[in-house]
Amino acid sequence: MGLLDKRFESENIVITTVEDVLNWARLSSLWMMQFGLACCAIEMMAASASHFDIMRFGIIPRSTPRQADLMIVAGTVTLKMASRVKRLYEQMPDPKYVISMGSCANCGGPYWEHGYHVLKGVDRIIPVDVYVPGCPPRPEALLEGIIKLREKIRRESLVKKKLPPVYVEEK
Amino acid sequence: MNANEIYEKIRNKFEDAIVEFKSDAIVEPYLEVKPDRVKEICEFLRDEPDLAFDYLMCLSGVDYANGTLGVVYHLYSMKHGHRFVLKVKVPVENPVVQSVESVWKSANWHEREAYDMFGIIFEGHPDLRRILMPYDWPEGSHPLRKDFQVPEFYNGMKVPY
């Protein structure tokens, strides 16, 4: 604080960058789009429940895309559902983030070969920020995915290009 | 009542509609009947007091992969606690089966599913349209047919891995 002490007479001033404040605000209050698709959604619900409690990260499920900035695609994206998922994503305001949760959302999961009805990876229709592997991933894995996303948002910049997707390591 | 006795009762009334009765089939005995007679046989099975098949447990479509499609009816009687299996077979070029929707309401969705997945046409069904696949899924494309090919794209989304 030595430098600041000389510069400012008032004690209640903190110096930071706009970027840092915005990033900090964003990563501390990720409001997630509330919808689940398949078995992964049950794990997502478990992550929301008291045992794992993702609300401690400021994550609140919102039932409207207009007030959400995080989409957790939890489960099998069928072709029939894919266009709805895409529409929900498009209705969310920027900046918005996507976590692809589970093998189905990542790459089609067990349906990758014979699933005529499954989209082989949600990244074919919307950009994904964090991939969480598992079938289904345990709530801890989703928590790690959220932590990875928070790290990613912390490193974001107003002028630099968007950061590439990150992958949660399979345990 | 066991399957042989049930078969005897049907044979007495619908001898000309019967294709084959297999009492030593691997899973359970079944009776194959003509597809244009299945509705009246089902009505008989439901209404005859000592048969009283009031429950259509399952109606499944089948592709036998030799140019033949089929429908299998699993029937159960709540009153008597007995069961029976009916089958029909139709050629893939003209897969028309009588609807039993008017006999058991539960056949409505089952027949829609068999239509959706196998393309079997149920004559007399009040609302025969796709139930599982999207409504704009390509006409004449039925995923559980053995010769089904996955389309390259659906609404701009690539389908194969």
PDB file of all heavy atoms in Angstrom, chain B residues 119-132:
ATOM      1  N   GLY B 119     -42.845 -47.561 -39.945  1.00  0.00           N
ATOM      2  CA  GLY B 119     -43.626 -47.193 -41.116  1.00  0.00           C
ATOM      3  C   GLY B 119     -44.809 -48.096 -41.362  1.00  0.00           C
ATOM      4  O   GLY B 119     -45.305 -48.169 -42.487  1.00  0.00           O
ATOM      5  N   ILE B 120     -45.265 -48.786 -40.330  1.00  0.00           N
ATOM      6  CA  ILE B 120     -46.451 -49.629 -40.497  1.00  0.00           C
ATOM      7  C   ILE B 120     -47.690 -48.730 -40.470  1.00  0.00           C
ATOM      8  O   ILE B 120     -47.851 -47.902 -39.566  1.00  0.00           O
ATOM      9  CB  ILE B 120     -46.528 -50.681 -39.365  1.00  0.00           C
ATOM     10  CG1 ILE B 120     -45.313 -51.601 -39.446  1.00  0.00           C
ATOM     11  CG2 ILE B 120     -47.821 -51.479 -39.455  1.00  0.00           C
ATOM     12  CD1 ILE B 120     -45.052 -52.383 -38.195  1.00  0.00           C
ATOM     13  N   ILE B 121     -48.551 -48.889 -41.478  1.00  0.00           N
ATOM     14  CA  ILE B 121     -49.757 -48.065 -41.562  1.00  0.00           C
ATOM     15  C   ILE B 121     -50.884 -48.784 -40.830  1.00  0.00           C
ATOM     16  O   ILE B 121     -51.203 -49.936 -41.141  1.00  0.00           O
ATOM     17  CB  ILE B 121     -50.169 -47.845 -43.027  1.00  0.00           C
ATOM     18  CG1 ILE B 121     -48.972 -47.406 -43.873  1.00  0.00           C
ATOM     19  CG2 ILE B 121     -51.318 -46.843 -43.118  1.00  0.00           C
ATOM     20  CD1 ILE B 121     -48.441 -46.048 -43.587  1.00  0.00           C
ATOM     21  N   PHE B 122     -51.494 -48.125 -39.868  1.00  0.00           N
ATOM     22  CA  PHE B 122     -52.613 -48.720 -39.125  1.00  0.00           C
ATOM     23  C   PHE B 122     -53.915 -48.143 -39.669  1.00  0.00           C
ATOM     24  O   PHE B 122     -54.227 -46.975 -39.450  1.00  0.00           O
ATOM     25  CB  PHE B 122     -52.455 -48.470 -37.629  1.00  0.00           C
ATOM     26  CG  PHE B 122     -51.329 -49.257 -37.040  1.00  0.00           C
ATOM     27  CD1 PHE B 122     -50.059 -48.714 -36.963  1.00  0.00           C
ATOM     28  CD2 PHE B 122     -51.533 -50.557 -36.592  1.00  0.00           C
ATOM     29  CE1 PHE B 122     -49.014 -49.448 -36.440  1.00  0.00           C
ATOM     30  CE2 PHE B 122     -50.486 -51.291 -36.061  1.00  0.00           C
ATOM     31  CZ  PHE B 122     -49.218 -50.735 -35.991  1.00  0.00           C
ATOM     32  N   GLU B 123     -54.632 -48.980 -40.373  1.00  0.00           N
ATOM     33  CA  GLU B 123     -55.869 -48.561 -41.020  1.00  0.00           C
ATOM     34  C   GLU B 123     -56.932 -48.317 -39.952  1.00  0.00           C
ATOM     35  O   GLU B 123     -57.207 -49.205 -39.126  1.00  0.00           O
ATOM     36  CB  GLU B 123     -56.331 -49.650 -41.979  1.00  0.00           C
ATOM     37  CG  GLU B 123     -56.890 -49.119 -43.263  1.00  0.00           C
ATOM     38  CD  GLU B 123     -57.008 -50.214 -44.298  1.00  0.00           C
ATOM     39  OE1 GLU B 123     -57.164 -51.383 -43.906  1.00  0.00           O
ATOM     40  OE2 GLU B 123     -56.944 -49.892 -45.488  1.00  0.00           O
ATOM     41  N   GLY B 124     -57.528 -47.132 -39.987  1.00  0.00           N
ATOM     42  CA  GLY B 124     -58.580 -46.824 -39.024  1.00  0.00           C
ATOM     43  C   GLY B 124     -58.067 -46.110 -37.783  1.00  0.00           C
ATOM     44  O   GLY B 124     -58.838 -45.817 -36.867  1.00  0.00           O
ATOM     45  N   HIS B 125     -56.764 -45.828 -37.729  1.00  0.00           N
ATOM     46  CA  HIS B 125     -56.234 -45.061 -36.591  1.00  0.00           C
ATOM     47  C   HIS B 125     -56.671 -43.598 -36.736  1.00  0.00           C
ATOM     48  O   HIS B 125     -56.555 -43.026 -37.828  1.00  0.00           O
ATOM     49  CB  HIS B 125     -54.712 -45.161 -36.573  1.00  0.00           C
ATOM     50  CG  HIS B 125     -54.097 -44.647 -35.297  1.00  0.00           C
ATOM     51  ND1 HIS B 125     -54.031 -43.310 -35.007  1.00  0.00           N
ATOM     52  CD2 HIS B 125     -53.551 -45.289 -34.239  1.00  0.00           C
ATOM     53  CE1 HIS B 125     -53.447 -43.155 -33.838  1.00  0.00           C
ATOM     54  NE2 HIS B 125     -53.145 -44.342 -33.339  1.00  0.00           N
ATOM     55  N   PRO B 126     -57.187 -42.972 -35.664  1.00  0.00           N
ATOM     56  CA  PRO B 126     -57.737 -41.627 -35.811  1.00  0.00           C
ATOM     57  C   PRO B 126     -56.675 -40.540 -36.006  1.00  0.00           C
ATOM     58  O   PRO B 126     -56.999 -39.453 -36.492  1.00  0.00           O
ATOM     59  CB  PRO B 126     -58.485 -41.407 -34.498  1.00  0.00           C
ATOM     60  CG  PRO B 126     -57.819 -42.316 -33.529  1.00  0.00           C
ATOM     61  CD  PRO B 126     -57.368 -43.515 -34.308  1.00  0.00           C
ATOM     62  N   ASP B 127     -55.427 -40.792 -35.629  1.00  0.00           N
ATOM     63  CA  ASP B 127     -54.440 -39.702 -35.612  1.00  0.00           C
ATOM     64  C   ASP B 127     -53.048 -40.284 -35.828  1.00  0.00           C
ATOM     65  O   ASP B 127     -52.193 -40.215 -34.956  1.00  0.00           O
ATOM     66  CB  ASP B 127     -54.530 -38.980 -34.254  1.00  0.00           C
ATOM     67  CG  ASP B 127     -53.587 -37.792 -34.188  1.00  0.00           C
ATOM     68  OD1 ASP B 127     -53.282 -37.229 -35.236  1.00  0.00           O
ATOM     69  OD2 ASP B 127     -53.175 -37.449 -33.063  1.00  0.00           O
ATOM     70  N   LEU B 128     -52.829 -40.861 -37.003  1.00  0.00           N
ATOM     71  CA  LEU B 128     -51.568 -41.569 -37.230  1.00  0.00           C
ATOM     72  C   LEU B 128     -50.496 -40.593 -37.694  1.00  0.00           C
ATOM     73  O   LEU B 128     -50.369 -40.287 -38.867  1.00  0.00           O
ATOM     74  CB  LEU B 128     -51.783 -42.665 -38.279  1.00  0.00           C
ATOM     75  CG  LEU B 128     -50.676 -43.727 -38.363  1.00  0.00           C
ATOM     76  CD1 LEU B 128     -50.573 -44.508 -37.073  1.00  0.00           C
ATOM     77  CD2 LEU B 128     -50.917 -44.661 -39.530  1.00  0.00           C
ATOM     78  N   ARG B 129     -49.724 -40.072 -36.728  1.00  0.00           N
ATOM     79  CA  ARG B 129     -48.578 -39.209 -37.080  1.00  0.00           C
ATOM     80  C   ARG B 129     -47.434 -39.550 -36.144  1.00  0.00           C
ATOM     81  O   ARG B 129     -47.610 -40.253 -35.154  1.00  0.00           O
ATOM     82  CB  ARG B 129     -48.957 -37.730 -36.976  1.00  0.00           C
ATOM     83  CG  ARG B 129     -49.383 -37.302 -35.612  1.00  0.00           C
ATOM     84  CD  ARG B 129     -50.082 -35.951 -35.627  1.00  0.00           C
ATOM     85  NE  ARG B 129     -50.853 -35.820 -34.403  1.00  0.00           N
ATOM     86  CZ  ARG B 129     -50.397 -35.267 -33.275  1.00  0.00           C
ATOM     87  NH1 ARG B 129     -49.193 -34.775 -33.212  1.00  0.00           N
ATOM     88  NH2 ARG B 129     -51.153 -35.209 -32.195  1.00  0.00           N
ATOM     89  N   ARG B 130     -46.251 -39.029 -36.485  1.00  0.00           N
ATOM     90  CA  ARG B 130     -45.049 -39.360 -35.715  1.00  0.00           C
ATOM     91  C   ARG B 130     -45.220 -38.972 -34.247  1.00  0.00           C
ATOM     92  O   ARG B 130     -45.898 -37.995 -33.938  1.00  0.00           O
ATOM     93  CB  ARG B 130     -43.848 -38.638 -36.310  1.00  0.00           C
ATOM     94  CG  ARG B 130     -43.405 -39.201 -37.645  1.00  0.00           C
ATOM     95  CD  ARG B 130     -42.072 -38.614 -38.047  1.00  0.00           C
ATOM     96  NE  ARG B 130     -41.638 -39.068 -39.357  1.00  0.00           N
ATOM     97  CZ  ARG B 130     -40.978 -40.206 -39.568  1.00  0.00           C
ATOM     98  NH1 ARG B 130     -40.683 -40.992 -38.550  1.00  0.00           N
ATOM     99  NH2 ARG B 130     -40.605 -40.546 -40.781  1.00  0.00           N
ATOM    100  N   ILE B 131     -44.588 -39.762 -33.381  1.00  0.00           N
ATOM    101  CA  ILE B 131     -44.744 -39.477 -31.945  1.00  0.00           C
ATOM    102  C   ILE B 131     -43.395 -39.244 -31.291  1.00  0.00           C
ATOM    103  O   ILE B 131     -43.276 -38.429 -30.384  1.00  0.00           O
ATOM    104  CB  ILE B 131     -45.516 -40.624 -31.255  1.00  0.00           C
ATOM    105  CG1 ILE B 131     -45.813 -40.293 -29.804  1.00  0.00           C
ATOM    106  CG2 ILE B 131     -44.773 -41.950 -31.353  1.00  0.00           C
ATOM    107  CD1 ILE B 131     -46.824 -41.215 -29.176  1.00  0.00           C
ATOM    108  N   LEU B 132     -42.321 -39.942 -31.737  1.00  0.00           N
ATOM    109  CA  LEU B 132     -41.009 -39.792 -31.121  1.00  0.00           C
ATOM    110  C   LEU B 132     -40.089 -38.912 -31.967  1.00  0.00           C
ATOM    111  O   LEU B 132     -39.439 -38.010 -31.448  1.00  0.00           O
ATOM    112  CB  LEU B 132     -40.357 -41.163 -30.914  1.00  0.00           C
ATOM    113  CG  LEU B 132     -41.034 -42.065 -29.901  1.00  0.00           C
ATOM    114  CD1 LEU B 132     -40.444 -43.457 -29.950  1.00  0.00           C
ATOM    115  CD2 LEU B 132     -40.881 -41.504 -28.501  1.00  0.00           C
TER     116      LEU B 132
END
